[in-house]
Amino acid sequence: MGAYLDFIRIRFLTMLAYRVNYYSGILIYSLNIGVNYFTWMAIYGKGESLGGFSATQMTSYVAVSWMARAFYFNNLDREISTDIRDGSIAIQFIRPYNYVLVKMMQGLGEGIFRFMLFMIPGMAIAMLLFPVQLPTELSAWVGFLVMLFFSFLINSQINVITGLSAFFVENNEGMMRMKRVVVDLFSGLVVPISLFPGWLSSILNFLPFQAITYLPGSVFTGRVQGVGIWNVLGVQVFWFLVLLIPIIWLNHAARQRLFVQGG
């Protein structure tokens, strides 16, 4: 376990070395929040509620959703795909550690960096610029932070599954791009799921994407309170366990597959 913790530390220090990406990232995410804020305010007009969100709740939802993305976002799918295409995955597989778990630890190291030096400062800036309302209940804060961690786990699991698919499709560039669009849209980052057509929101209730952004955002904005917080947390735990199945299967199948690409 100590070796896996070192992977977290090394990735954190690696991220710390690229400060320009850090500063530009805060600016870009703040701009995203600003664009979404003014768009939603124009949509609301003089209305008080839309899709169960008040104007204040929507502002808070937009801000916390984008800043939460700063924490759970990573490129594990691209890293795994690159390892497969250049053949370095073979060396990784014979080393005395679990390759998938190493990638998750590296993603966690990046996520901790983004949480401490990206999400928290970015949220502070958003609060200065926009009317963000913070939760007043301790249970909401605890529930949100725990759910934020599971958002990272579920998003990383989807990335690992997408990355490992390169063993079978060889070039999964299109799949990775599609995955990013699908996750951002169907997780509720772009539009809250409660604003989707009824038939589509019903389908999304049976998919893991809502557990990444929409459910934690609903807890943060107070749309889900009390016992409901632990119910939606249970949804995240359920999907975390379910997504372990394809990861274990793909990891096992990948170790028995060999292909040579190139001359």
Side-chain angles (χ1 to χ4, degrees), residues 1 4-13 15 70-76 79 100-117 145-146 148-157 159-160 240:
M1 183 56 66
Y4 291 109
L5 294 178
D6 280 339
F7 283 108
I8 297 176
R9 179 180 61 83
I10 293 171
R11 180 57 67 92
F12 183 93
L13 295 176
M15 294 292 297
F71 168 67
Y72 67 68
F73 176 83
N74 56 60
N75 286 309
L76 294 184
E79 293 178 18
V100 171
L101 186 55
V102 165
K103 302 311 292 185
M104 293 289 288
M105 294 299 103
Q106 289 175 337
L108 181 57
E110 180 177 341
I112 293 173
F113 171 85
R114 288 170 169 268
F115 179 81
M116 295 175 59
L117 300 176
L145 292 175
V146 174
L148 185 62
F149 177 67
F150 275 96
S151 295
F152 159 79
L153 291 176
I154 295 171
N155 183 68
S156 296
Q157 287 176 308
N159 284 347
V160 168
F240 167 71

Side-chain angles (χ1 to χ4, degrees), residues 32-33 36-37 40 57-67:
N32 280 328
I33 293 173
N36 279 275
Y37 168 74
W40 283 110
Q57 284 180 324
M58 183 62 76
T59 301
S60 303
Y61 178 86
V62 167
V64 76
S65 294
W66 277 98
M67 285 305 162

Side-chain angles (χ1 to χ4, degrees), residues 155-193:
N155 183 68
S156 296
Q157 287 176 308
I158 294 174
N159 284 347
V160 168
I161 292 171
T162 306
L164 289 175
S165 68
F167 266 110
F168 307 94
V169 299
E170 298 186 14
N171 188 344
N172 63 344
E173 184 67 31
M175 186 180 297
M176 289 189 291
R177 293 181 180 179
M178 181 183 70
K179 182 271 307 177
R180 182 169 297 184
V181 172
V182 167
V183 169
D184 285 349
L185 179 61
F186 291 155
S187 68
L189 177 67
V190 179
V191 178
I193 292 178

